[in-house]
Amino acid sequence: MNENFDWPLFINRLWERENAQGLRRVEGKGGYRNGRYYPYKTPNGNVDIGPGFDLAHQSKEFRETAQKQGFTKEELDSIIKQRLKNEGQYFYKRIVKEGGDPNKLTNNVFGGLLDMFWQLGNGLYQNYPNFWKAVAKQDYEGMQRESVVLYKDPDGTYHEDTGRRDFRNRTYFKKA
């Protein structure tokens, strides 16, 4: 994994994209109450905590802690880093599989991969073959084009997450 990756910057960017009101500690917004974060309903109907932990995909213990005592920002940030830190090895394997050199992976692209994984989980590996080809070739235009992510609204209609994509393209999938 990239030794000099700026985890605090990445994590704060994740908060900004997933729960800006919570990041700003607006009392009663984004699940923030009395210095801790609790579950809240997102605009797309999910129940999250902090920067996009979808409670439907968390362990029973995590859900119980979220409901009963909540988490501090520091606790949530630590969990993010813990969960994502090992993902780099899978990024590298996929880049090799596509014929690329993972040692040429920039911190910007690494951050974009982490951000996509946070949003998509393992679907990033299964549903984005052209994206991975672009990453392996260091083709920034291809990464930007192929990083389309869809979300389902409460009515069941799919939409492109253009805000997230535009952010990734400006922030991560660009030449340094």
Side-chain angles (χ1 to χ4, degrees):
M1 187 167 97
N2 297 9
E3 300 289 324
N4 58 350
F5 185 69
D6 190 340
W7 282 102
L9 176 62
F10 170 79
I11 291 169
N12 276 335
R13 285 175 172 166
L14 189 64
W15 274 90
E16 186 66 40
R17 299 302 310 154
E18 295 280 353
N19 186 356
Q21 292 179 320
L23 175 62
R24 291 182 186 89
R25 300 172 195 233
V26 176
E27 191 67 27
K29 301 288 184 179
Y32 184 77
R33 294 192 321 263
N34 301 318
R36 299 186 75 78
Y37 294 89
Y38 296 89
Y40 68 99
K41 193 169 188 173
T42 66
N44 66 351
N46 294 339
V47 177
D48 283 7
I49 188 169
F53 286 97
D54 184 341
L55 288 188
H57 300 287
Q58 305 305 317
S59 69
K60 180 181 177 186
E61 178 183 51
F62 185 97
R63 288 191 310 271
E64 287 175 356
T65 300
Q67 292 288 347
K68 291 178 183 174
Q69 67 191 45
F71 291 96
T72 65
K73 182 177 184 305
E74 294 73 24
E75 289 169 330
L76 291 169
D77 289 356
S78 177
I79 295 167
I80 293 166
K81 185 175 177 182
Q82 174 189 347
R83 289 188 183 180
L84 291 179
K85 201 166 186 182
N86 291 329
E87 206 56 38
Q89 67 183 313
Y90 302 108
F91 296 164
Y92 289 5
K93 287 177 184 178
R94 183 60 186 259
I95 291 167
V96 168
K97 178 181 175 185
E98 298 298 338
D101 181 355
N103 295 316
K104 293 183 179 178
L105 185 65
T106 67
N107 280 334
N108 278 349
V109 174
F110 184 75
L113 293 173
L114 289 171
D115 189 70
M116 285 187 73
F117 181 79
W118 187 257
Q119 187 176 18
L120 299 166
N122 287 332
L124 173 60
Y125 301 110
Q126 300 160 359
N127 302 323
Y128 288 81
N130 293 331
F131 172 75
W132 283 105
K133 287 175 178 43
V135 171
K137 293 179 191 173
Q138 298 178 42
D139 171 7
Y140 290 90
E141 288 179 19
M143 286 181 237
Q144 290 179 359
R145 184 179 57 253
E146 297 296 331
S147 62
V148 173
V149 174
L150 302 177
Y151 68 92
K152 187 167 42 171
D153 69 19
D155 295 328
T157 305
Y158 284 92
H159 304 274
E160 180 182 345
D161 189 345
T162 55
R164 190 73 171 258
R165 180 180 181 199
D166 291 347
F167 174 79
R168 284 186 190 123
N169 289 347
R170 280 191 322 273
T171 307
Y172 297 123
F173 301 140
K174 63 183 182 86
K175 287 189 179 181

